[in-house]
Amino acid sequence: METITTLESSDGLEAQGINNPGAIYWSPPAAMLYEFAMRNGEGAIAASGPLIVSTGKYTGRTPKDKFIVQEPGSNDAIWWDNNQRFAPEKFDALHRRVSDYLEGRDVYVQDCHSGADPDYRLKVRVITELAWHSLFVRNLFIRLNAGERFSGAPDFTVIDAAGFKAVPERDGTRGEAFIILNFAKRIILIGGTEYAGEMKKSIFSVMHYLLPPQGVVSMHCSANAGPSEDTALFFGLSGTGKTTLSTNPSRQLIGDDEHGWSDHGIFNFEGGSYAKVVRLSSDSEPEIYQASHRFGTILENVVYNPVTRELDLNDDSLTENTRSAYPISYIPGASLTGMGGHPRNVFFLSADAFGVLPPISRLTPDQARYYFLSGYTAKVAGTEVGLTEPEATFSTCFGEPFLPLPPETYSKLLGEKIVKHKTNVWLVNTGWIGGTASESERVPIAFTRAMLRAAMDGTLEGTPTHQDPIFGLNIPDRCPNVPQHLLNPWEAWKNPEAYSRMAQRLAQMFKANFEQFAANVPASVRESGPKSS
């Protein structure tokens, strides 16, 4: 057995159940992983330097194939309404089968961290079959310092055998792909899928499980800080502008996806970014564009010219979910500590395709918990087969697929932090106003940026507000560089009755969705939602 190591380790892989692999490549750097990927036929090198790979059949996460092992230590804590059970004996048998599969095969190992705050940092070991997966981990997680090594065993181990396909009848899985978390053994098994995001999000779920009992809010959000170290958080589902609005040349990026809020302040879980790049341009998002054209970056499912190796970011023939994975240091001026102070402002971003939410409104602490639990955005008619009108999407805490604990756990902690640190919370509609998405234009990003700027520089704090008649939201009377009529959706609609009907319809959707939380939150939170007739 050959072991090539760039970082000595005091223990091997036997503790993770892997015996007699082929070569073990331990903590190889980017250049070496490029060489391995080329040798293995895993990808191609683009003209500008990034490594281009295909994730095959799965071009995104497959949440229906994700499970949590049902074992006594975590059983009573898990939110089983949102998570699938997996039997311990089935996990052990599948673990042995994966280990047998890896026997004689080369594996790549990265020791890294999740969590920039040393007090809440998780030691993570990731063992992969594919070289490019190891580079992905090196980019997205927090690297160890030169010469640093784990003291003792890792806190959690991810074993990703992308080429191993499960047999549902034998293994207890839904299909050939599987992502299985075992909190007792602190092992995550992944197989049957080459989509690298499963590794990132499985550890995110682990942080969601471990941190709240320690008084830390784990959050699916981006974060940045201004010159006066005023931190801002941006929550939002896909398509709401979370990454775009937090990547701002006048503010320091802390992170674009996963954070914790402790008594010390905000800290990033990651050391890199995993940005969508479909139709990315140097004009609209220059920092992400440049990062996506550098050596060391991984581009997933991006189309390129096989002769010139030039990229075509506008081609979505493989998937809309084309991705770029790069170290956060590739973004100019990004925080290298991954930490910030207690946030002065929190933004909930919702792309409202119904066109009835105001472009910006200030939330009370109870409203903040209500809209955080709701996690609202909307799909636009025409984006999916059979979708002929707007469709509301509710993903609790803006990250439902990653929550192992009941959502009230996270909303209660967030509410306490907001009150304690006197944080302003804003609901921002980055979608449509003046009609539904098929009838009106999306709020120009220049106006959205102007509203965020006014909130963050304190302008809106002293601005009088008035209340939305249906949603009860506190809307600023004015905002610099934003047309007055845009602030009130009912004024932007040509037909007031049509607005009222659509607003009442969305309000009813909010109320119906919130029924699942009603029994577990204070009355003041329950009553903070829309007032539908």
Side-chain angles (χ1 to χ4, degrees):
M1 181 179 69
E2 177 190 10
T3 300
I4 296 179
T5 175
T6 58
L7 179 64
E8 294 295 335
S9 176
S10 59
D11 53 3
L13 301 182
E14 293 82 4
Q16 284 80 47
I18 297 177
N19 301 297
N20 304 314
I24 300 176
Y25 299 108
W26 208 292
S27 298
M32 190 180 290
L33 288 168
Y34 263 60
E35 293 170 1
F36 293 146
M38 293 301 100
R39 182 192 68 183
N40 302 339
E42 295 177 10
I45 303 173
S48 54
L51 180 66
I52 314 169
V53 298
S54 167
T55 63
K57 177 180 177 180
Y58 297 97
T59 58
R61 290 182 302 102
T62 172
K64 292 182 179 179
D65 295 306
K66 180 183 176 184
F67 301 86
I68 295 178
V69 174
Q70 187 174 19
E71 48 83 23
S74 62
N75 181 62
D76 292 344
I78 299 300
W79 181 28
W80 289 117
D81 289 345
N82 187 56
N83 293 280
Q84 301 182 94
R85 295 172 170 86
F86 203 80
E89 62 274 13
K90 285 290 186 182
F91 178 88
D92 292 341
L94 185 56
H95 188 190
R96 287 193 294 271
R97 294 228 304 133
V98 169
S99 299
D100 291 343
Y101 168 82
L102 292 174
E103 189 168 338
R105 297 176 186 269
D106 295 352
V107 294
Y108 306 87
V109 184
Q110 293 286 346
D111 281 349
C112 46
H113 289 132
S114 177
D117 187 331
D119 287 348
Y120 303 103
R121 183 172 289 165
L122 195 71
K123 296 183 294 183
V124 180
R125 175 166 295 163
V126 186
I127 304 162
T128 66
E129 176 186 3
L130 297 176
W132 80 262
H133 274 188
S134 194
L135 179 57
F136 177 92
V137 170
R138 191 174 187 274
N139 285 353
L140 265 293
F141 289 82
I142 299 173
R143 299 179 196 171
L144 301 184
N145 296 323
E148 185 182 0
R149 65 193 68 182
F150 287 164
S151 57
D155 297 318
F156 247 89
T157 298
V158 179
I159 302 173
D160 192 324
F164 176 91
K165 292 178 171 53
V167 180
E169 299 77 16
R170 175 177 181 174
D171 298 315
T173 58
R174 188 184 71 101
E176 63 184 17
F178 54 91
I179 305 95
I180 309 173
L181 284 67
N182 190 325
F183 289 113
K185 296 196 170 182
R186 298 200 163 216
I187 291 175
I188 299 167
L189 289 181
I190 301 176
T193 173
E194 294 183 30
Y195 185 68
E198 299 287 13
M199 296 182 288
K200 160 187 159 70
K201 290 303 187 185
S202 63
I203 290 296
F204 189 32
S205 292
V206 169
M207 298 295 273
H208 270 305
Y209 175 78
L210 295 176
L211 292 180
Q214 302 177 65
V216 179
V217 193
S218 49
M219 305 173 293
H220 186 208
C221 69
S222 56
N224 66 24
S228 59
E229 299 184 356
D230 56 306
T231 303
L233 304 182
F234 303 80
F235 291 84
L237 304 178
S238 180
T240 59
K242 177 165 62 75
T243 298
T244 299
L245 293 170
S246 61
T247 306
N248 184 331
S250 66
R251 295 176 63 84
Q252 183 180 54
L253 179 67
I254 297 173
D256 76 341
D257 198 44
E258 305 174 4
H259 292 84
W261 186 354
S262 73
D263 288 340
H264 307 157
I266 297 300
F267 63 98
N268 193 0
F269 291 171
E270 302 183 291
S273 293
Y274 193 36
K276 290 185 72 169
V277 292
V278 64
R279 291 178 287 279
L280 180 73
S281 74
S282 58
D283 292 332
S284 62
E285 298 178 75
E287 295 87 2
I288 297 174
Y289 185 90
Q290 291 300 325
S292 300
H293 285 76
R294 289 185 59 172
F295 175 86
T297 291
I298 294 172
L299 297 179
E300 290 182 350
N301 303 311
V302 169
V303 175
Y304 65 99
N305 185 306
V307 177
T308 66
R309 303 298 175 95
E310 297 292 338
L311 304 174
D312 185 353
L313 298 179
N314 293 318
D315 191 330
D316 61 359
S317 57
L318 296 178
T319 177
E320 275 271 335
N321 192 36
T322 55
R323 292 274 179 172
S324 174
Y326 50 84
I328 198 169
S329 59
Y330 282 13
I331 298 295
S335 170
L336 300 184
T337 66
M339 299 179 68
H342 297 292
R344 187 179 299 170
N345 292 281
V346 169
F347 299 97
F348 296 158
L349 308 177
S350 296
D352 178 28
F354 293 86
V356 296
L357 288 182
I360 190 165
S361 52
R362 189 170 179 176
L363 305 181
T364 67
D366 285 332
Q367 286 177 323
R369 287 187 62 181
Y370 185 97
Y371 284 95
F372 180 62
L373 282 168
S374 298
Y376 166 73
T377 193
K379 295 179 182 177
V380 180
T383 57
E384 294 183 8
V385 175
L387 191 62
T388 57
E389 57 183 20
E391 181 179 291
T393 299
F394 296 97
S395 181
T396 186
C397 306
F398 296 96
E400 185 172 311
F402 319 119
L403 304 183
L405 305 178
E408 296 83 5
T409 304
Y410 308 99
S411 79
K412 183 174 183 292
L413 271 174
L414 183 66
E416 290 170 351
K417 300 284 188 191
I418 287 168
V419 171
K420 180 178 180 180
H421 299 288
K422 298 179 174 60
T423 302
N424 300 316
V425 184
W426 309 86
L427 181 65
V428 177
N429 175 13
T430 63
W432 290 260
I433 291 176
T436 64
S438 62
E439 304 165 331
S440 62
E441 297 294 323
R442 192 163 183 174
V443 178
I445 192 169
F447 292 158
T448 300
R449 289 191 186 279
M451 288 181 277
L452 296 184
R453 188 164 55 248
M456 289 187 286
D457 68 16
T459 299
L460 293 187
E461 280 193 60
T463 301
T465 63
H466 56 281
Q467 214 171 61
D468 183 294
I470 293 175
F471 292 91
L473 301 166
N474 298 303
I475 304 170
D477 288 349
R478 57 188 177 277
C479 180
N481 302 311
V482 177
Q484 189 68 27
H485 74 277
L486 197 69
L487 296 175
N488 301 317
W490 57 89
E491 293 180 1
W493 280 61
K494 294 179 181 177
N495 185 336
E497 291 183 0
Y499 160 79
S500 182
R501 285 195 302 270
M502 194 61 69
Q504 289 288 355
R505 182 180 171 192
L506 181 59
Q508 289 287 3
M509 293 179 186
F510 266 97
K511 291 174 72 69
N513 174 73
F514 203 80
E515 282 301 314
Q516 62 185 305
F517 312 119
N520 298 313
V521 298
S524 58
V525 175
R526 286 197 303 273
E527 295 164 2
S528 293
K531 306 296 189 288
S532 60
S533 57

